[in-house]
Amino acid sequence: MSEDATPHGATVHAGPDSTDTPALAVSNLVKRFGTSTAVDRLDLTMPGGTVLALLGPNGAGKTTTVEICEGFQRPDGGRVRVLGLDPNRDGAALRPRIGVMPQGGGAYPGVRAGEMLRLVAACAAHPLDPDWLLDVLGLRDALRTPYKRLSGGQQQRLSLACAVVGRPELVFLDEPTAGLDPQARRLVWELVDALRTDGVGVLLTTHLMDEAETLADQVVIIDHGSLVAAGTPAELTGESGGRQRLAFRASSGLPIAELLDRLPAGCTGTEPAPGRYELVGPIGPAEVSAVTAWCAEHDVLAQELRVAYRSLEDVFLDLTGRELR
Amino acid sequence: MTEHVQPRFAVGTFTPAPGRGRLGRMLLAQTATETKLALRNGEQLLLTLIIPLALLVGLTELPIIDVGTPRVDWVTPRVIALAIMSTGFTSQAISLGFDRRYGVLKRLAATALPRWLLVAGRVLSGVLVIVVQLIVLGAVAALLGWSPQLAGVGESIALLVLGALAFGALGVLLGGSVRAEIVLAVANAVWFVLLLAGGIAVPASSLPAGLADVVGLLPSGALANGLTDALAAGTAPGPGPYLVLAFWTVLPAAVATRTTRLT
């Protein structure tokens, strides 16, 4: 029913209704467990056919948020609409339209990979070919292996296959690359890219900044259940007011206060570890030259000198703190 | 691993085409999967077929416990009661406990599969396993000379259905509520206790006096006694076993609807 002939042929970004109903509209979402608040007045909006990465430290409320959107948990407050539907009230209508990859996967312990994917495919009206999907995800050798004997990475890939086999409009991937080797991670990235190209919306959670930076149209950083920053990766990492970071190595204990006097006001400098120096501020060619000249005066060689924009990881750590918790 | 192949996802591969599969096909797929898993699992087969077969042959051939004669006519209904308990309660509880642990219920609940179909597939697969058990046990009993009272077949079918429901409800209650390891331990322990002291292997008449009175109120005793009355003696068991089994169906089912968790 839902697959009419694509009007634009094979053009890229043939996203269905990407403008009218947002794939996801969450406002003022609250979820409590006992006395602790897992999600605290969270707002999210995601247009159809785009990729949103939900970032946050462990326990930030990412999985809770995703599970509320999937209809597995009931919110204590706020409004959630997924493809225009209430996941709790309209779950039966919503589930055929979404694909879910739960954290840690999910299958019968004794089921073979092929059997599991075929079972999930049988639940959909126009599924992808399960054998092709297993093949392309590198699970051909595992077709007859019971789920509990698959490696963690194989279980992850099977779970990903289960999420997309039903040709959904929107896919929820909870830490899709956790425990994957670099090759498999690339494969997942390619898949997510292909999903977006074909107009499928993807909400993913991750700890990996490069993953979010590479894949996401929109990054949302949450901590303690609340939104702390949102925007495109470029917006989040781009320095407002032209602030860059200059880092170099040299002998330890150099008097950087003296160096800061020669740099424009607004530059800050630290020695976060012995012999490692970091300057943050409006850094241009003149400033780099000033730094190397100052090093020459002290007869030290500035090694590994580089000027960089803040990475998403820096943004993330600045916003959520650097301490382990 | 040869995984550096560049996968090419042609444009349009994932173009959304959502929709729910046909109900019949979903039910068939889920029932077939669950049945295959039950018949492929060694530990479950031990409980559902191998131990009942061993007891059927052993209790028939070795006069260790005093039952009526011919022995096979008295042993077979009790072994059938055991088979029902093994599938409905122990095997069901253990598989449910580990299915929850491995997240399959959540996985399936996230598909278009309606919840009632998830339950229906499990029930149907349990019925199929019971049919296999009845065929195998019945055939071996026949080889041992079993001649059931035909007049009792109708009643015994009613008792089997009710017994499967009662043990199934108890199995879901246990398997759906606590951690998999606890399910495993409790399900096996209860199975063993009911086998020996619950009126299955040892008839109530051979049990100590106090226990004998209680046994008829347990689902194991009610089912074993009812089946023995119907198939060996050819007498109507009366409303007793039906009431007991109905009680053990309704109460655990009512509690299980509140306690059963997906994970």
Side-chain angles (χ1 to χ4, degrees):
Chain A
M1 276 299 276
S2 35
E3 195 197 22
D4 306 324
T6 327
H8 353 258
T11 43
V12 188
H13 254 285
D17 59 10
S18 49
T19 44
D20 352 351
T21 319
L24 196 65
V26 171
S27 55
N28 216 16
L29 178 64
V30 175
K31 177 70 184 176
R32 294 182 202 94
F33 295 110
T35 52
S36 71
T37 303
V39 182
D40 193 5
R41 287 161 294 169
L42 183 68
D43 295 313
L44 288 177
T45 308
M46 176 185 160
T50 65
V51 178
L52 185 150
L54 203 53
L55 286 178
N58 288 331
K62 303 187 295 292
T63 296
T64 305
T65 303
V66 171
E67 292 205 339
I68 289 171
C69 294
E70 294 162 353
F72 281 127
Q73 296 191 31
R74 280 177 185 281
D76 292 315
R79 188 185 137 98
V80 178
R81 288 293 176 275
V82 181
L83 300 170
L85 299 168
D86 178 335
N88 276 301
R89 212 186 46 220
D90 315 315
L94 177 62
R95 280 194 300 273
R97 298 175 61 188
I98 62 173
V100 171
M101 177 178 181
Q103 200 174 110
Y108 295 100
V111 79
R112 291 167 184 153
E115 290 171 342
M116 188 66 206
L117 187 59
R118 270 186 281 279
L119 173 60
V120 174
C123 300
H126 315 283
L128 298 169
D129 177 4
D131 293 312
W132 170 81
L133 194 54
L134 289 167
D135 224 34
V136 85
L137 288 175
L139 290 168
R140 188 202 300 230
D141 300 336
L143 271 184
R144 299 184 54 79
T145 310
Y147 181 74
K148 63 181 168 193
R149 299 229 181 81
L150 294 176
S151 71
Q154 289 172 322
Q155 291 185 346
Q156 285 282 90
R157 280 176 279 153
L158 176 62
S159 184
L160 186 67
C162 289
V164 300
V165 72
R167 300 178 68 184
E169 293 165 57
L170 172 63
V171 179
F172 294 95
L173 307 176
D174 200 353
E175 299 197 5
T177 56
L180 292 187
D181 58 27
Q183 288 88 346
R185 191 177 311 149
R186 297 261 152 211
L187 180 72
V188 173
W189 289 6
E190 266 188 70
L191 180 79
V192 170
D193 229 23
L195 287 169
R196 172 183 27 210
T197 302
D198 289 340
V200 182
V202 180
L203 172 68
L204 61 91
T205 71
T206 183
H207 290 295
L208 301 174
M209 303 302 143
D210 56 341
E211 185 161 296
E213 220 160 349
T214 310
L215 293 179
D217 299 303
Q218 202 192 150
V219 173
V220 172
I221 301 179
I222 64 173
D223 195 12
H224 303 296
S226 309
L227 187 145
V228 290
T232 65
E235 283 166 2
L236 286 176
T237 54
E239 297 299 306
S240 50
R243 288 168 67 80
Q244 280 100 36
R245 178 182 301 260
L246 184 152
F248 64 96
R249 290 179 75 149
S251 54
S252 59
L254 294 175
I256 47 173
E258 185 192 307
L259 169 61
L260 289 174
D261 286 342
R262 301 192 189 176
L263 295 173
C267 274
T268 56
T270 51
E271 187 179 352
R276 289 183 173 275
Y277 298 90
E278 268 187 26
L279 304 170
V280 176
I283 291 176
E287 287 71 29
V288 174
S289 167
V291 170
T292 49
W294 176 76
C295 283
E297 283 168 27
H298 289 83
D299 199 22
V300 297
L301 178 65
Q303 296 174 311
E304 297 177 28
L305 183 135
R306 64 198 155 86
V307 181
Y309 286 96
R310 292 199 307 169
S311 68
L312 194 53
E313 182 150 348
D314 290 323
V315 177
F316 180 79
L317 290 172
D318 287 348
L319 289 168
T320 60
R322 289 175 189 265
E323 324 80 63
L324 209 63
R325 45 183 151 173
Chain B
M1 302 251 281
T2 52
E3 275 173 6
H4 56 280
V5 274
Q6 286 296 314
R8 291 273 174 266
F9 300 111
V11 172
T13 304
F14 298 107
T15 302
R20 195 177 72 177
R22 277 180 290 125
L23 287 176
R25 206 169 112 74
M26 286 195 272
L27 185 61
L28 185 70
Q30 212 230 329
T31 308
T33 306
E34 299 241 1
T35 310
K36 265 191 276 183
L37 290 171
L39 294 178
R40 214 158 59 192
N41 183 310
E43 292 124 59
Q44 293 202 23
L45 276 185
L46 189 70
L47 277 175
T48 54
L49 271 178
I50 296 169
I51 293 176
L53 271 177
L55 285 174
L56 173 62
V57 176
L59 291 176
T60 300
E61 299 299 324
L62 306 171
I64 28 175
I65 295 168
D66 187 25
V67 293
T69 49
R71 292 184 65 87
V72 70
D73 286 358
W74 295 84
V75 169
T76 307
R78 297 183 170 280
V79 167
I80 289 176
L82 171 68
I84 301 290
M85 178 169 80
S86 297
T87 298
F89 175 69
T90 309
S91 165
Q92 162 93 268
I94 293 172
S95 65
L96 183 56
F98 281 93
D99 286 354
R100 283 169 51 228
R101 151 75 56 86
Y102 278 84
V104 71
L105 298 185
K106 199 176 215 176
R107 165 73 272 160
L108 291 176
T111 66
L113 200 75
R115 300 284 164 101
W116 65 263
L117 205 143
L118 200 57
V119 176
R122 261 194 127 81
V123 170
L124 264 182
S125 134
V127 169
L128 286 176
V129 172
I130 289 174
V131 167
V132 171
Q133 288 175 301
L134 291 177
I135 290 171
V136 173
L137 292 171
V140 172
L143 289 176
L144 295 169
W146 181 38
S147 58
Q149 300 288 331
L150 293 179
V153 170
E155 281 223 54
S156 61
I157 289 175
L159 284 165
L160 280 179
V161 170
L162 207 49
L165 284 174
F167 281 116
L170 286 163
V172 172
L173 176 62
L174 174 62
S177 53
V178 290
R179 278 198 303 130
E181 288 76 16
I182 299 175
V183 173
L184 184 66
V186 173
N188 280 318
V190 168
W191 179 88
F192 197 65
V193 168
L194 289 184
L195 169 66
L196 293 181
I200 291 186
V202 186
S205 52
S206 307
L207 288 170
L211 196 55
D213 302 331
V214 187
V215 155
L217 298 176
L218 297 175
S220 49
L223 182 60
N225 292 341
L227 287 176
T228 311
D229 285 349
L231 290 173
T235 56
Y242 292 101
L243 290 175
V244 171
L245 291 175
F247 169 81
W248 285 108
T249 303
V250 173
L251 185 72
V255 179
T257 53
R258 290 154 195 271
T259 54
T260 304
R261 310 242 172 283
L262 287 181
T263 52

